[in-house]
Amino acid sequence: MTTEQSDATDGGRSTADTTGESEQPATTRPKTPDEGTSTADKPAVPATQQPVEATAVDQPVEPAAAQQPVEPAAAQQPVEPAAAQQPAETAAQEPVKPSAAQSSTAEADASAGKGDSAATDASAAKSENTKKNDPAEADGSAEPGRTDVKGTHGKPVRAWWRRWRGGPKRPGTASGPPAGGGQQAGGAVRVDGAETAKPDPWEAFSPAGEPVPTRLGRATRAVGRFLVHEWTLAVVGALVLAVALTWPALRYPLHTLPQDIWDPSLQAWQMAWSGHILLTNPGQLWQANAFYPESWSFAFSDTLLGYAPAGMIGTGPEAAVLRYNIIFVLAHALATIGAYALARQLGAGRIGAAVAGVSYAYAPWLLAQAGHLHVLSNGGIPLALAMLARGHGWSLRYGYRPRQRHEGWAYAGWLVAAWQLSLGFGIGLPFAYFLGGAVLVATVTWFLRRYLVRPVKRPFGARLLVADLVGGALFAAVGVLLAIPYFKVAELHPNAARTLGDIGVYSPPLSGFFTAPGESRVWGGLHEGARAALPWPPEMTLLPGFVLYALAAGGLFFSVWRLRHRLLLLAGVLVSMVLSMGTEFFGGTWTYGPLFEYLPGWNGIRTPGRLMLWATLLLGLLAAGAVTAFCIRVRELAAQRIPSWPGPWLRLATLLPLLLVIAEGLNATPHPVAPPQPAAMRSVEGPLLVLPSSQNHDQPVMLWTTTRFQDVVNGGSGFTPAQLEDVRRVTLSFPDQTSVDYLRTLSVANVVVVRDQLAGTPWEVTVDNPVEQLGITRDDRGDVVIFRL
């Protein structure tokens, strides 16, 4: 090999990299896979920016020689056959013998360091004599970071040392990447102008990369993540638990009603009426078809107006009963979800929050309220509080966190609160006063902490303030609009007003907080004697659960809540219980009495025992704090185990409180069959009167009218209008001239007498009396008799 060939190889250039015309042809050898690109594939670098190496005699390189362009013909010259037949390593290092002109050009390019990424190293400026005396450089054992540019008479450097050490390959040599690419600094390879990482020889032993998911795969994963999300599991669990703990409500949902056939029939009619009238004539919402000819009759009791969208689906008694049973189950599920969400937002763990949710929805005392859907529909209370707390970034466990604020949750909280109020004032009115007091206390506390007492920066935000103003105005507007019909009723019917004496009839004694209703499967039979001592057991058996009592008591001493928060929760429990006692607590002089006298609308609440709902919620939060602390302690104990996860007994121990609370919520509620609708009710015109008429008889009659919603004199509610009392008194002798004349003054067109309900009533005898002399006709249809006036 000649000196010129060695110089070309050391400069990292093939004959195609030289400039000028070739004086003798050369044969192009095939490139090996390790061969790099020629300098023709690389952008030219001005000579003024390139480090110039000293030649053997330390003479500067001519600028013209360093900047000459590559001749295309030179790039196509073949390689000598002898070079092509050498072994792969040797052939990759042996360049084609250039002509004299090309040798000088190659020497100039090599001196300029063109195409060599390591040419900036100052130690590369060596003379030919120095290289000959350096054995490490002569046999290719130089260090990877050492520049291998040779002088005019230097020997070629082998590339195997660099490849074995894993260092960067020399650009421009035959051991570089395939044609069209080039080696970059740091091991990157440039292929067709784009940089790619240097192939790793050990990559074949690495695990296969995760395949890129398709659109269907991404959608499947998103659905999977949704299905295992905490809130998805919470909703599904609440629904399953509601179906199980209210069973057999959905066993015969078209025909049976929970607890009794009276109040559930009334409330099934209320949902049906609101949905029907909002679709047909919304302006007549409060002028219901029952209690004819009374006005504002829809406001004679809590309306369940928030369920009106459900009432728009289906017609007739069977659809109304089905709707009632579905809402009955969903109300329990919503109460569970709402209390769970509130406990989670305040800082409780999952199991602790589940205890709070189940104890709130399935407290034993609520089993006695199975026939009062407006009492069971209380899930909006904790859900609204949870949303408002989330929107304001507040947690009982972690305090005020401004970064957690979100006005969207505040809007949602106010909307849910307004919806809860639309279900009825019996539960909604205390909630409205509580919410107003909470807003006032929170505002004063924020102002004091921000400006007066230990001032700290407590940002609030303009958008959150707007959300509270708009949401609060919406909540207040709903309350005012719903209250107007009730004030009208109070004005038109003075006999509807209640006194403290009336409240005393439903005020439970202290023993009521430890007495379970007869519908409790666990405690009902055991407490039969205690219930017998109560004046009105359905409204005085207020046991929230002995397990809940025990967990809440433990939460006073062992909890994740701070001590002051535990004391506040305890104070709330005691205040709620005192108010639930009505006039039984020292006559209510300083407790229930002032609320009854001075708070607008409070005198409309007939049963103070239903305020036990708030004590149950607060007891559940105390229990959630205790259970959460217990679960944390279990995890700490499990961390000391090998392996460090809870064993089956520890896991069962964390679930035991929840299982016990569920067990106390098991019911023995009866589900009687709703009275079937007489076929005549689907065709007879109104206004009409159905006999017999009484509070209990009239409520199923209201349900029968859900096919045509014809006007009926009958009606049952929290009070009886004076005119309906007169109708019932006068018609005891029907059919006679007095009763017929009286009904005609009310524009009653037909009287329907139901035969299977006449046993023991005056109509059992008079129903078959002759009526020709009365100027009316009788149409006997088997199960009913229709008198046309």
Side-chain angles (χ1 to χ4, degrees), residues 440-643:
L440 180 62
V441 171
T443 302
V444 173
T445 302
W446 183 89
F447 181 82
L448 293 176
R449 292 294 305 276
R450 180 67 175 84
Y451 297 104
L452 299 179
V453 182
R454 295 181 298 173
V456 292
K457 187 176 182 181
R458 301 174 68 85
F460 194 82
R463 291 187 297 181
L464 186 57
L465 179 61
V466 171
D468 284 337
L469 293 177
V470 173
L474 174 65
F475 179 77
V478 170
V480 171
L481 291 176
L482 291 177
I484 291 175
Y486 290 93
F487 284 116
K488 289 285 186 180
V489 170
E491 179 182 351
L492 295 173
H493 302 276
N495 62 316
R498 296 185 176 94
T499 64
L500 273 178
D502 299 328
I503 302 302
V505 175
Y506 301 100
S507 297
L510 183 62
S511 61
F513 297 116
F514 303 95
T515 306
E519 291 81 0
S520 173
R521 185 172 295 276
V522 177
W523 306 114
L526 297 175
H527 292 181
E528 184 175 359
R531 288 194 304 274
L534 299 175
W536 189 252
E539 297 291 347
M540 297 182 180
T541 50
L542 301 180
L543 174 69
F546 290 111
V547 174
L548 185 61
Y549 277 143
L551 293 175
L556 293 175
F557 305 96
F558 180 71
S559 176
V560 294
W561 313 132
R562 295 182 177 90
L563 178 60
R564 65 175 183 271
H565 294 153
R566 284 176 263 169
L567 295 177
L568 286 175
L569 291 173
L570 176 62
V573 169
L574 296 178
V575 170
S576 300
M577 286 184 167
V578 167
L579 293 178
S580 299
M581 295 178 68
T583 58
E584 282 293 315
F585 189 81
F586 297 103
T589 305
W590 304 106
T591 55
Y592 198 89
L595 301 180
F596 184 87
E597 295 291 343
Y598 299 109
L599 283 185
W602 201 275
N603 56 0
I605 299 177
R606 180 170 57 106
T607 53
R610 294 172 184 176
L611 293 174
M612 188 63 187
L613 186 71
W614 292 92
T616 305
L617 179 60
L618 298 178
L619 286 171
L621 293 179
L622 278 172
V627 174
T628 302
F630 176 67
C631 292
I632 293 175
R633 182 57 181 160
V634 166
R635 286 195 295 270
E636 292 174 352
L637 293 175
Q640 304 172 6
R641 294 167 52 91
I642 299 176

Side-chain angles (χ1 to χ4, degrees), residues 254-329:
L254 292 171
H255 307 288
T256 62
L257 290 169
Q259 197 174 49
D260 56 56
I261 62 173
W262 302 305
D263 283 348
S265 295
L266 164 66
Q267 292 160 350
W269 166 82
Q270 287 175 325
M271 289 187 285
W273 167 257
S274 59
H276 161 76
I277 200 63
L278 289 178
L279 288 176
T280 57
N281 191 2
Q284 296 297 312
L285 171 65
W286 299 102
Q287 316 303 326
N289 69 312
F291 296 99
Y292 177 85
E294 300 286 355
S295 58
W296 305 99
S297 56
F298 195 49
F300 285 0
S301 59
D302 283 338
T303 62
L304 296 175
L305 186 59
Y307 291 141
M312 298 177 182
I313 305 172
T315 58
E318 286 190 353
V321 172
L322 174 63
R323 183 186 305 115
Y324 182 91
N325 283 313
I326 292 175
I327 297 297
F328 176 78
V329 174

Side-chain angles (χ1 to χ4, degrees), residues 340 344 348-356 624 627-628 631 651 654-655 657-658:
Y340 177 89
R344 288 290 284 155
R350 293 182 179 88
I351 299 179
V355 169
V627 174
T628 302
C631 292
R651 291 180 184 275
T654 58
L655 293 175
L658 177 60

Side-chain angles (χ1 to χ4, degrees), residues 660-681:
L660 292 176
V661 170
I662 292 175
E664 271 200 310
L666 296 176
N667 76 90
T669 304
H671 289 261
V673 177
Q677 179 194 40
M681 293 296 295

